[in-house]
Amino acid sequence: MRALLIAGNWKLNPTSTEAAAALAEGVKNGLGTATDVHVAVAPPFVFLTKVDQVLAGSPIGLAAQDLHWEPSGAFTGEISAAMLVDVGCTHVIIGHSERRHGMGETDARVNAKLKAALAAKLIPIVCVGETKEERLAEKTEDVLLAQLSGSLAGLTAEEAAGVVLAYEPVWAIGTGLTATPEQAQAVHAFIRKWLAETFGEATAGRVVVQYGGSVKPANAAELLACPDIDGALVGGAALKADDFLGIVQAGRDVAARGK
């Protein structure tokens, strides 16, 4: 059985080390030592070391929001996988829609970053998802097929089993819109089917596939109860400890019912 993973992507927030530490402290204190649902937070690079210190002794994973595919070199402003490991990271987000659509990140680049993360033993959270225009044109499956096959190209079944996928409908990120549980489950089932066809049923059964798109305490339980949704990649609601913990609690309630 796949354990749920609730990950909080802080994006370009908060604005100070003190605020980042306070947010991490709030999540840590609220979660305690519970491990029935896996939890991770992804602060900006400059806060990683401080947040790692705050989270010491807790089961909460530390995620970076991106990485570079090369181990070192003349890449001004970039961060390598080894650097992330050195400051305590356990996870890394790759190919978030804001990087794909806002910064032109390609599937080939996502693939290179993914392989660098796996080589460094980081748990990669690889994001895929369609825009509103693509959904209205009924191209969701075509878009996902291209993103999945390009982003995970060249992986073995064992490597693929260690990847977390996050389906984020771009039209639902930061807009207040959320895919219905039925819409989200249908896409997650499509992703699971592709995994089975590409890497085998055993691997497909191991891969955690999160939903990301305006997840809140009020809608989390219904989404997380879907059979192929294995957690959430949380944006805005991750910036308030109580809201984020509410989503974690929804996951714990779902897990307690035997999912």
Side-chain angles (χ1 to χ4, degrees):
M1 186 168 62
R2 298 178 299 272
L4 297 177
L5 170 62
I6 311 297
N9 179 13
W10 296 2
K11 305 187 182 184
L12 194 60
N13 302 285
T15 57
S16 70
T17 303
E18 182 180 11
L23 177 54
E25 191 76 47
V27 174
K28 176 183 176 179
N29 291 340
L31 183 68
T33 58
T35 57
D36 47 346
V37 171
H38 294 167
V39 176
V41 296
F45 288 129
V46 294
F47 301 142
L48 285 171
T49 296
K50 182 60 178 180
V51 171
D52 182 56
Q53 294 168 353
V54 171
L55 297 180
S58 83
I60 301 170
L62 180 65
Q65 297 179 18
D66 190 29
L67 82 166
H68 196 270
W69 58 90
E70 292 289 351
S72 62
F75 303 103
T76 300
E78 297 293 343
I79 306 291
S80 73
M83 293 173 185
L84 297 180
V85 172
D86 186 65
V87 297
C89 286
T90 53
H91 298 66
V92 60
I93 299 170
I94 303 173
H96 191 279
S97 64
E98 290 159 3
R99 299 199 64 85
R100 287 182 183 268
H101 298 283
M103 303 176 190
E105 192 153 288
T106 64
D107 293 323
R109 186 158 290 185
V110 170
N111 182 248
K113 292 181 176 185
L114 170 57
K115 290 176 178 175
L118 290 171
K121 309 300 183 186
L122 288 165
I123 298 172
I125 301 174
V126 178
C127 304
V128 296
E130 83 284 10
T131 64
K132 182 178 180 180
E133 292 73 24
E134 289 164 343
R135 172 165 279 272
L136 291 175
E138 299 183 350
K139 293 182 178 179
T140 296
E141 292 187 358
D142 292 338
V143 170
L144 291 175
L145 181 61
Q147 291 177 341
L148 289 166
S149 58
S151 299
L152 275 63
L155 267 60
T156 66
E158 188 61 28
E159 287 171 332
V163 175
V164 174
L165 293 173
Y167 167 59
E168 349 167 81
V170 180
W171 47 272
I173 298 173
T175 64
L177 300 174
T178 308
T180 65
E182 294 76 18
Q183 288 174 322
Q185 167 57 27
V187 175
H188 280 245
F190 172 80
I191 292 172
R192 191 86 58 197
K193 179 172 180 285
W194 178 86
L195 287 166
E197 292 172 346
T198 306
F199 298 108
E201 292 284 353
T203 295
R206 292 169 60 189
V207 175
V208 168
V209 186
Q210 299 175 300
Y211 172 77
S214 295
V215 181
K216 303 175 179 67
N219 61 24
E222 204 174 12
L223 288 162
L224 295 173
C226 295
D228 287 298
I229 297 180
D230 307 319
L233 182 58
V234 184
L239 300 178
K240 293 182 179 179
D242 287 346
D243 287 350
F244 185 65
L245 290 166
I247 295 169
V248 173
Q249 185 60 51
R252 298 182 68 187
D253 293 342
V254 167
R257 293 197 294 269
K259 178 177 175 181

